Amino acid sequence: MVVNAAAPGSSVRRSRGARRASRLSPLGFVMALPPILLVLLFVGFPVVLALGFSLGFTGGLNSIVAMIGLNVHHAENWWGTFAAYADVFSNAQFLQDLLVTVVVTVVSAVVVLFMAMGIGLYLRMRGGWLANLLSGLAVVPLFIPVVIASWAILTFYSGDGFVRSVFALVGLQGPTWGYTVIAIVIGSVWTSLPFAVLMVASGFQAIPDAMIEAARDAGAGFVRIAYSIMMPMAFIPIVIAGTFTAIGVIGSFTVPYFTGPNSPTMLGVTLTNYFTSYNEPQQSIVMAFTIFIAAGAIGAFYVWANFRSAKEQGRV
């Protein structure tokens, strides 16, 4: 005979819990509503307004900036015009800056991931005072303002900086990386490394010891364990570190402004110059949306990685 294990009291409690959750649901929505409204009002609305201005809608709230700006294109159709986009993308200087932005972003993200995974693997597999020292030094830039770090990098690698001084002591001609793209990469790695190390190292630390010990008992070496076990299991933290690093670098301003050359430079500096120095706000907004689309493409990779992980775990 089949006996129903659910007691009458438990069904009553579930019913009460469901009614209570039903009552709390609107309350939770109301509590979450203020930050959502703030984001929509102070971020979403300006973004929509800027998108309309880039398409040539120069009336309403865009009338003042359209009146004082130079080379402003006005909408010719009901959907606007792409004249400002054509204006920007036909500019050879913009294309060079876009190329520099992409190269710096890719190189910086790869270097940051390589260093973060190296420190994380060494900390997880070996441990000891040297691993702890490396992980501690890697997060030091987190407590140094970007402006100060950028100025320090610039003076360190400038023509009369520390590097050239050391080379001069032994009669050699040292490199000058101040105000170059290399200095931008060094600064981007410096500012992005702490978050990547924390994220990747935490992913490696979450791997059970039993799996690593089993692999060692089977004769697997350091490289084999890292490649076949640790990196696949820490795939999501690695992807998060990589995407956040790339998004942070592609929209950076302080590091390329202080340490990079005047031309070509990254788009964060270029669009600021177009807005403040050249008084061409429409063109600067087009550049901002270019960075936004690139960042969105990088973010899509992060969403794909999370969806893939959730699918493998059966959560979707």
Side-chain angles (χ1 to χ4, degrees), residues 33 105 211:
L33 197 56
T105 301
M211 300 190 67

Side-chain angles (χ1 to χ4, degrees), residues 232 235-236 303-313 316:
F235 179 70
I236 295 300
V303 173
W304 168 81
N306 276 277
F307 179 78
R308 177 174 174 268
S309 175
K311 190 175 181 180
E312 290 177 352
Q313 297 174 6
V316 293

Side-chain angles (χ1 to χ4, degrees), residues 124 206-217 225 228-230 233:
R124 183 66 178 85
I207 299 174
D209 293 337
M211 300 190 67
I212 299 175
E213 294 301 328
R216 284 174 174 166
D217 292 342
I225 295 174
S228 301
I229 297 177
M230 301 190 69
M233 295 194 69

Side-chain angles (χ1 to χ4, degrees), residues 20-313:
R20 185 178 180 185
S22 177
R23 289 196 302 271
L24 290 177
S25 180
L27 178 61
F29 176 76
V30 171
M31 293 179 67
L33 197 56
I36 295 175
L37 290 177
L38 283 176
V39 171
L40 291 177
L41 180 62
F42 293 104
V43 178
F45 181 67
V47 168
V48 174
L49 204 63
L51 177 62
F53 185 60
S54 70
L55 294 175
F57 295 102
T58 54
L61 295 177
N62 288 327
S63 58
I64 300 300
V65 67
M67 182 173 60
I68 63 177
L70 299 177
N71 299 326
V72 175
H73 300 276
H74 301 273
E76 301 172 351
N77 304 289
W78 63 269
W79 49 265
T81 177
F82 288 114
Y85 288 85
D87 194 12
V88 170
F89 279 91
S90 61
N91 188 335
Q93 185 60 53
F94 167 77
L95 296 179
Q96 289 183 10
D97 294 344
L98 179 62
L99 177 62
V100 168
T101 303
V102 173
V103 170
V104 169
T105 301
V106 173
V107 173
S108 300
V110 170
V111 173
V112 167
L113 277 182
F114 181 78
M115 295 177 68
M117 286 192 293
I119 294 173
L121 286 171
Y122 192 74
L123 183 64
R124 183 66 178 85
M125 298 285 288
R126 303 296 184 189
W129 67 270
L130 182 58
N132 293 328
L133 178 64
L134 286 176
S135 61
L137 291 175
V139 298
V140 166
L142 196 64
F143 306 99
I144 300 176
V146 179
V147 174
I148 297 176
S150 301
W151 185 253
I153 290 170
L154 179 62
T155 56
F156 193 84
Y157 295 106
S158 63
D160 56 351
F162 177 79
V163 174
R164 283 181 61 85
S165 299
V166 170
F167 274 82
L169 289 176
V170 294
L172 298 176
Q173 190 78 8
T176 301
W177 289 332
Y179 301 111
T180 66
V181 176
I182 296 176
I184 300 177
V185 173
I186 294 173
S188 300
V189 172
W190 168 269
T191 56
S192 304
L193 187 60
F195 172 77
V197 168
L198 292 175
M199 182 61 65
V200 174
S202 64
F204 287 148
Q205 293 294 332
I207 299 174
D209 293 337
M211 300 190 67
I212 299 175
E213 294 301 328
R216 284 174 174 166
D217 292 342
F222 180 88
V223 176
R224 182 69 173 176
I225 295 174
Y227 179 76
S228 301
I229 297 177
M230 301 190 69
M231 292 178 64
M233 295 194 69
F235 179 70
I236 295 300
I238 293 173
V239 169
I240 293 175
T243 52
F244 281 28
T245 299
I247 291 174
V249 173
I250 201 171
S252 61
F253 169 78
T254 305
V255 171
Y257 179 77
F258 275 97
T259 65
N262 291 327
S263 178
T265 185
M266 294 185 68
L267 287 183
V269 179
T270 304
L271 70 89
T272 304
N273 290 335
Y274 269 75
F275 190 85
T276 58
S277 302
Y278 307 152
N279 193 22
E280 295 186 4
Q282 202 174 33
Q283 285 72 13
S284 68
I285 291 175
V286 171
M287 297 176 189
F289 274 101
T290 304
I291 296 176
F292 177 76
I293 292 172
I298 299 171
F301 183 70
Y302 163 72
V303 173
W304 168 81
N306 276 277
F307 179 78
R308 177 174 174 268
S309 175
K311 190 175 181 180
E312 290 177 352
Q313 297 174 6

